[in-house]
Amino acid sequence: MRIAQVSECTGIHRKTIHHYIQLGLVCPATEQENGYYDFSQEDLRRLQTIQRLRLLDCPLSLIRELLDHPRLSRFLLDRMIQQKKRQIETGQWQIQQLEQLVRQAPLDNMEQSDRLWAELPEHLPPPRQSLTRQEASFLVSYFWGTFLQGLEMNEYRRYLWERLVDRLLEMHQPPLLALRGFLETVPPQKLEIMFVENDRHVRRIVELDSASIPAQVEQMARQLEEKLEDPAFVRDWRENYEHFVQPAAELYSDLEALRLMGQFTGRFERYGNNLWQCSYQMYAHLNTPQGQPLREKIHRALGDRIRLEGQEVGQLATLLVY
C-alpha cells in the first residue's frame, strides 16, 4: 500500500506519516525499483494505534515506549494515568487561585490592586504526600505483579486484594510513596530487564524444597561475592537504596501483608517461605567464622546502604535476589 492510500485510509497527513517514519515509529518496506514506501497491514495497524494514542494526548516518546515494550503497556499507561491525575490536581489548584483573584478584584481597574497581585502564591503546592486507593493498588500490582499473572480475580481474591491494599495504605505510606517515585523514573528498558529477572528468580525459588535450599544458599553466597565485585551493581544498589531497597524490605517484613498475599496465591506463599529460609540460613552463615569474610565484604562494598544487625533479614533477602 502506497503512502497516499495509507493517508486516505487513516486520515493521517502524509507529512505526519513521514515524520513517524523518520522517528522510527513505523518502518515500511521500500520498493527497490523506485524507492517508494510499501506499507503492510501491520504498518497500517501500527499507524492507527499511534493515531488513537495521540487522540488521548499520549506523547510520541510514550508511544515509542508502548510499541517497543508491549510487555510493559499496562504499566506505562497506568503510570501516565497517575501523572495526568496529579496534573489535574495542580490545574484545579491553579484555577482556584485565579478564581479567588477574580472574585476579589475590582471591576474597573486591576492596576490599582497591588495587594491582590502580592497575595498570589509564589510556588506550586508541594506534592500530595498520601496515596489514593487506586494509586496504592497500582503500585502493589506491579511490585508483586509476577505473582498475579494468569490468576482469575474471583470474589474471594478481590476481598483479599482490598484487605491487602487497606493494610499497606494504613501501615506503609512512606515506602509506597518511595516506590511510586522509583517506578516513575525508571526507563522502560531497565524496567523490562527488572521484570524479566524477577520472573526468573521467582521461578527458581518457588521450585526449591527443604533438601535443595542449602545448595541454593551456597550458590547465592557465590553469586553475592561476584555481585559485590561489580562496580555497576554496587552503584545501582546505592543509588536505589532509599527509593527501592528500603521500601521493598519493609513491605516484605510485614507478616500480615505476606499472609494476605499467601492466601491470594499459593505461589507467593511458596516463594516467601523459601526465600525466608534461604535468608535466615544465609544470615546464620554470615555470623560464622566461615561467613565472616563475606559479611565484611558486604559492609565494605555497601557501607551504610545495608542493615544486617539483629534478626532483620528483609534487606538481606532483597540483596540475595537484587
Side-chain angles (χ1 to χ4, degrees), residues 275-287:
L275 179 58
W276 285 116
Q277 287 190 51
C278 289
S279 301
Y280 279 113
Q281 290 191 25
M282 179 66 75
Y283 181 81
H285 171 68
L286 294 176
N287 286 281

Side-chain angles (χ1 to χ4, degrees), residues 120-217:
L120 288 175
E122 298 181 12
H123 307 286
L124 289 173
R128 174 168 46 83
Q129 293 301 306
S130 62
L131 294 170
T132 65
R133 288 185 56 81
Q134 186 174 2
E135 287 173 326
S137 181
F138 159 73
L139 288 167
V140 179
S141 69
Y142 285 101
F143 184 68
W144 281 323
T146 189
F147 301 101
L148 308 180
Q149 297 171 13
L151 289 180
E152 176 189 355
M153 186 63 83
N154 55 34
E155 185 176 349
Y156 179 60
R157 284 201 175 105
R158 279 193 291 271
Y159 164 74
L160 291 172
W161 188 259
E162 291 298 318
R163 287 189 60 189
L164 175 65
V165 172
D166 285 341
R167 170 74 183 183
L168 297 180
L169 273 174
E170 178 185 359
M171 304 298 295
H172 301 289
Q173 284 266 351
L176 287 176
L177 286 165
L179 286 173
R180 182 180 73 179
F182 175 79
L183 289 173
E184 288 182 347
T185 57
V186 177
Q189 297 87 343
K190 181 176 180 179
L191 198 62
E192 185 153 21
I193 292 172
M194 289 175 61
F195 283 171
V196 170
E197 287 295 311
N198 186 58
D199 287 347
R200 181 182 61 80
H201 93 252
V202 165
R203 284 196 301 271
R204 185 179 71 247
I205 292 174
V206 164
E207 293 169 357
L208 295 173
D209 56 29
S210 57
S212 58
I213 283 178
Q216 177 64 39
V217 173

Side-chain angles (χ1 to χ4, degrees), residues 214-308:
Q216 177 64 39
V217 173
E218 291 180 7
Q219 181 181 349
M220 284 178 162
R222 291 193 295 271
Q223 292 172 340
L224 187 52
E225 290 266 7
E226 296 173 1
K227 288 192 290 189
L228 293 171
E229 293 175 359
D230 181 359
F233 171 84
V234 173
R235 181 174 60 252
D236 191 70
W237 174 277
R238 285 178 166 274
E239 290 176 354
N240 295 328
Y241 181 78
E242 293 182 0
H243 301 292
F244 180 78
V245 175
Q246 272 191 319
E250 181 172 331
L251 295 187
Y252 268 111
S253 298
D254 187 321
L255 296 181
E256 175 62 14
L258 299 184
R259 185 184 68 81
L260 289 169
M261 271 300 293
Q263 291 180 321
F264 193 88
T265 166
R267 189 164 180 259
F268 181 89
E269 185 175 26
R270 291 191 299 275
Y271 171 79
N273 290 339
N274 289 343
L275 179 58
W276 285 116
Q277 287 190 51
C278 289
S279 301
Y280 279 113
Q281 290 191 25
M282 179 66 75
Y283 181 81
H285 171 68
L286 294 176
N287 286 281
T288 65
Q290 295 82 3
Q292 189 65 25
L294 177 56
R295 185 186 183 98
E296 293 174 355
K297 191 171 188 177
I298 292 172
H299 281 297
R300 280 197 305 273
L302 305 180
D304 61 353
R305 291 299 194 243
I306 186 70
R307 288 204 307 267
L308 297 178

Side-chain angles (χ1 to χ4, degrees), residues 1-3 28-39:
M1 189 180 294
R2 296 289 176 81
I3 193 168
T30 304
E31 296 181 0
Q32 293 184 351
E33 302 81 21
N34 48 37
Y36 291 150
Y37 290 121
D38 182 17
F39 291 81

